[in-house]
Amino acid sequence: MDNRRDFLKKSLLTLGAAGLGTSLASAIDFSTGAKAKLSINKGDVILFQGDSITDAGRNKQNLKPNDGNAFGNGYAFMAASTLLNKYADKDIKVYNRGISGNRVPDLINRWQEDALDIKPNILSIMIGVNDFWRTMDSGAKNTPAEYKAQYKQLLDSTKSALPNVKLIIIEPFGVKNVKHVTDAWFPEFPKYQNVAKEIAQEYGAIFLPYQQIFDQGLKRNSDGGYWTTDGVHTTMAGANLMAEAWLNLIK
């Protein structure tokens, strides 16, 4: 019964992200990265990678594609569900390998098994908020320049192993004045966001500007707690906002 309730809850959450090409696209400037949208082809393998925002409570013992239990309840689940419905004739496989707390060095350490061995045609990476956040709450030492060097190492190995992979580089975001995200995050955090943008440009990736997307969301509901629980992790509304924006990258 609990599994059935969980399934029904996720199914209802996904309905709001079910439309490709929604009005959000007209409100967001995607020109900060590659302008071309992605096509979904027969047999494509799509991989969502990142930290807790992508993880979203997934069952890490379940490594299957196209399985709700392996996706958690965040934006990756909502986007993947819509893709599997919209492209039912394409026989695609969609994976989630986000892990809570990860930084770029964590991705590097597990990249072979959790990315390269999967051989994705489309690879979506959302990483960076912890690379900055740990400098605030744990005294970690990691400058924007170091973050960029580590990110480049990750993508160099990716392009070497998967030269034709289509990359989506996602901007880390923070909604101000919600629990953890205070004025103390600024102006340092935007430097990490700029790195993600620069990385996308340098590697010919599509850049997904989630900071701008959440800023637009705040114009519709100015309560940051409506979109996130702590300035970073999303509510139902925030996860749906993210999924909608991700799906707008697809033709």
Side-chain angles (χ1 to χ4, degrees):
M1 181 62 72
D2 288 343
N3 288 337
R4 183 172 180 272
R5 287 197 190 100
D6 187 52
F7 171 78
L8 289 172
K9 177 182 176 183
K10 288 181 176 181
S11 297
L12 289 170
L13 290 177
T14 307
L15 290 176
L20 293 176
T22 67
S23 60
L24 177 67
S26 62
I28 300 300
D29 177 14
F30 289 98
S31 64
T32 45
K35 294 183 181 180
K37 289 191 175 186
L38 297 176
S39 297
I40 301 295
N41 299 311
K42 185 79 172 178
D44 270 352
V45 175
I46 302 165
L47 173 60
F48 289 87
Q49 264 291 1
D51 52 37
S52 57
I53 303 170
T54 302
D55 180 333
R58 70 182 179 89
N59 179 359
K60 297 178 185 59
Q61 304 307 310
N62 186 344
L63 302 180
K64 297 177 183 178
N66 307 354
D67 190 321
N69 184 251
F71 267 82
N73 58 9
Y75 81 96
F77 172 83
M78 295 183 181
S81 298
T82 300
L83 290 171
L84 290 167
N85 176 26
K86 180 74 175 179
Y87 300 103
D89 60 329
K90 299 290 188 181
D91 192 30
I92 64 174
K93 291 182 173 63
V94 192
Y95 294 84
N96 183 0
R97 287 292 192 274
I99 294 183
S100 180
N102 267 195
R103 298 180 292 176
V104 176
D106 299 303
L107 295 189
I108 291 172
N109 289 338
R110 62 184 181 86
W111 206 237
Q112 184 65 49
E113 179 179 2
D114 281 351
L116 303 184
D117 288 351
I118 294 172
K119 295 181 171 58
N121 304 98
I122 297 174
L123 174 56
S124 175
I125 306 174
M126 182 175 188
I127 200 74
V129 70
N130 289 318
D131 298 77
F132 166 75
W133 199 350
R134 298 293 84 87
T135 68
M136 293 289 294
D137 67 0
S138 302
K141 304 297 182 184
N142 191 42
T143 66
E146 290 169 325
Y147 167 58
K148 184 172 185 178
Q150 294 159 359
Y151 215 146
K152 288 171 67 72
Q153 178 184 342
L154 182 80
L155 294 184
D156 285 343
S157 67
T158 302
K159 296 294 284 187
S160 177
L162 306 169
N164 297 318
V165 70
K166 302 168 188 175
L167 292 171
I168 299 172
I169 301 299
I170 296 177
E171 178 186 36
F173 67 88
V175 178
K176 284 184 67 175
N177 301 320
V178 184
K179 199 170 182 178
H180 298 297
V181 183
T182 67
D183 288 339
W185 279 45
F186 302 89
E188 198 64 19
F189 180 52
K191 297 176 184 178
Y192 293 76
Q193 294 175 311
N194 287 336
V195 165
K197 178 180 175 181
E198 292 168 0
I199 286 286
Q201 292 171 333
E202 291 175 20
Y203 285 81
I206 288 180
F207 178 68
L208 183 48
Y210 271 143
Q211 187 63 59
Q212 184 182 356
I213 288 163
F214 275 93
D215 289 347
Q216 289 286 340
L218 288 168
K219 293 179 180 179
R220 294 189 288 123
N221 188 319
S222 60
D223 178 8
Y226 180 81
W227 304 104
T228 71
T229 61
D230 59 3
V232 172
H233 299 97
T234 55
T235 60
M236 291 171 61
N240 192 267
L241 182 70
M242 291 179 68
E244 182 186 28
W246 196 99
L247 290 165
N248 273 322
L249 301 178
I250 307 301
K251 286 183 180 178

